Protein backbone atom coordinates (compact mmCIF):
# COMPACT_ATOMS: atom_id res chain seq x y z
CA UNK A 1 0.00 0.00 0.00
CA UNK A 2 1.43 3.41 -0.92
CA UNK A 3 2.56 5.54 1.95
CA UNK A 4 1.76 9.17 2.56
CA UNK A 5 4.44 11.75 1.87
CA UNK A 6 5.03 12.04 5.62
CA UNK A 7 5.54 8.26 5.87
CA UNK A 8 7.99 8.37 2.97
CA UNK A 9 9.92 11.15 4.74
CA UNK A 10 9.96 9.06 7.94
CA UNK A 11 11.20 6.02 5.99
CA UNK A 12 14.07 8.10 4.59
CA UNK A 13 14.94 9.35 8.07
CA UNK A 14 14.89 5.77 9.40
CA UNK A 15 17.14 4.53 6.59
CA UNK A 16 19.60 7.34 7.26
CA UNK A 17 19.70 6.45 10.95
CA UNK A 18 20.05 2.74 10.16
CA UNK A 19 23.01 3.48 7.87
CA UNK A 20 24.66 5.86 10.31
CA UNK A 21 24.40 8.99 8.19
CA UNK A 22 22.54 12.21 8.72
CA UNK A 23 19.56 13.18 6.63
CA UNK A 24 21.47 16.29 5.56
CA UNK A 25 24.38 14.16 4.36
CA UNK A 26 22.02 11.80 2.56
CA UNK A 27 20.33 14.63 0.69
CA UNK A 28 23.65 16.30 -0.13
CA UNK A 29 25.09 13.02 -1.46
CA UNK A 30 21.95 12.49 -3.56
CA UNK A 31 22.09 16.09 -4.81
CA UNK A 32 18.65 16.90 -3.41
CA UNK A 33 17.64 20.20 -1.81
CA UNK A 34 17.94 20.08 1.97
CA UNK A 35 14.28 21.17 2.34
CA UNK A 36 13.03 18.10 0.47
CA UNK A 37 11.84 16.17 3.55
CA UNK A 38 10.37 19.25 5.21
CA UNK A 39 8.39 20.00 2.04
CA UNK A 40 7.18 16.39 1.90
CA UNK A 41 6.05 16.40 5.51
CA UNK A 42 4.21 19.70 5.16
CA UNK A 43 2.53 18.69 1.91
CA UNK A 44 4.30 21.41 -0.05
CA UNK A 45 5.52 18.93 -2.67
CA UNK A 46 5.33 15.36 -3.82
CA UNK A 47 8.41 13.21 -4.27
CA UNK A 48 9.59 12.74 -7.83
CA UNK A 49 10.53 9.30 -9.09
CA UNK A 50 14.01 10.64 -9.83
CA UNK A 51 14.60 11.79 -6.25
CA UNK A 52 13.18 8.62 -4.74
CA UNK A 53 15.32 6.53 -7.10
CA UNK A 54 18.47 8.37 -6.05
CA UNK A 55 17.68 7.93 -2.36
CA UNK A 56 16.78 4.25 -2.82
CA UNK A 57 20.01 3.60 -4.71
CA UNK A 58 21.99 5.46 -2.04
CA UNK A 59 20.65 3.12 0.65
CA UNK A 60 20.61 -0.01 -1.53
CA UNK A 61 16.86 -0.53 -1.33
CA UNK A 62 14.18 -0.57 -3.98
CA UNK A 63 12.16 2.49 -4.86
CA UNK A 64 9.11 0.35 -4.19
CA UNK A 65 10.24 -0.07 -0.59
CA UNK A 66 10.34 3.70 -0.12
CA UNK A 67 6.91 4.13 -1.69
CA UNK A 68 5.13 1.15 -0.16
CA UNK A 69 7.12 0.61 3.00
CA UNK A 70 7.47 -3.04 2.07
CA UNK A 71 10.13 -5.02 0.33
CA UNK A 72 9.26 -6.93 -2.79
CA UNK A 73 9.81 -10.68 -2.97
CA UNK A 74 13.19 -10.37 -4.67
CA UNK A 75 14.48 -7.86 -2.13
CA UNK A 76 13.26 -10.03 0.74
CA UNK A 77 15.03 -13.08 -0.72
CA UNK A 78 18.23 -11.10 -1.27
CA UNK A 79 18.15 -9.89 2.32
CA UNK A 80 17.88 -13.49 3.52
CA UNK A 81 20.65 -14.60 1.15
CA UNK A 82 23.01 -11.94 2.55
CA UNK A 83 22.59 -13.45 6.02
CA UNK A 84 23.83 -16.88 4.91
CA UNK A 85 27.35 -18.16 5.48
CA UNK A 86 29.58 -18.56 2.40
CA UNK A 87 29.10 -22.34 2.54
CA UNK A 88 25.32 -22.00 2.76
CA UNK A 89 25.34 -19.55 -0.17
CA UNK A 90 27.26 -22.07 -2.29
CA UNK A 91 24.85 -24.83 -1.30
CA UNK A 92 21.86 -22.68 -2.17
CA UNK A 93 23.33 -21.73 -5.56
CA UNK A 94 23.95 -25.40 -6.35
CA UNK A 95 20.40 -26.29 -5.34
CA UNK A 96 18.94 -23.50 -7.45
CA UNK A 97 21.04 -24.61 -10.43
CA UNK A 98 19.73 -28.15 -10.01
CA UNK A 99 16.16 -26.83 -10.10
CA UNK A 100 16.86 -24.97 -13.33
CA UNK A 101 18.37 -27.98 -15.07
CA UNK A 102 15.46 -30.31 -14.22
Amino acid sequence: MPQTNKEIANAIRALAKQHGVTVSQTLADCKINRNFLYDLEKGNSSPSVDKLSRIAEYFGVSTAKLISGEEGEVEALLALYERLSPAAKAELRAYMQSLITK
Side-chain angles (χ1 to χ4, degrees):
M1 170 181 253
Q3 300 190 92
T4 65
N5 288 351
K6 187 171 185 170
E7 291 169 326
I8 291 171
N10 288 338
I12 294 167
R13 289 183 196 286
L15 283 167
K17 184 176 182 178
Q18 178 184 353
H19 286 82
V21 295
T22 65
V23 172
S24 296
Q25 186 63 50
T26 299
L27 296 176
D29 290 348
C30 293
K31 297 182 181 10
I32 297 172
N33 183 295
R34 61 186 173 94
N35 293 325
F36 173 72
L37 290 186
Y38 177 81
D39 289 341
L40 278 183
E41 292 171 333
K42 299 301 178 195
N44 297 336
S45 70
S46 293
S48 69
V49 173
D50 176 57
K51 288 178 183 174
L52 290 179
S53 294
R54 284 187 268 161
I55 293 169
E57 185 176 329
Y58 182 79
F59 290 122
V61 299
S62 68
T63 305
K65 179 174 172 126
L66 283 180
I67 294 170
S68 70
E70 300 173 2
E71 288 184 294
E73 183 177 359
V74 172
E75 289 85 5
L77 289 171
L78 286 173
L80 289 171
Y81 177 81
E82 290 301 319
R83 295 173 52 195
L84 295 173
S85 69
K89 287 178 182 179
E91 186 177 333
L92 179 59
R93 284 191 302 270
Y95 175 69
M96 291 175 72
Q97 189 61 45
S98 73
L99 290 175
I100 292 169
T101 57
K102 284 185 179 182

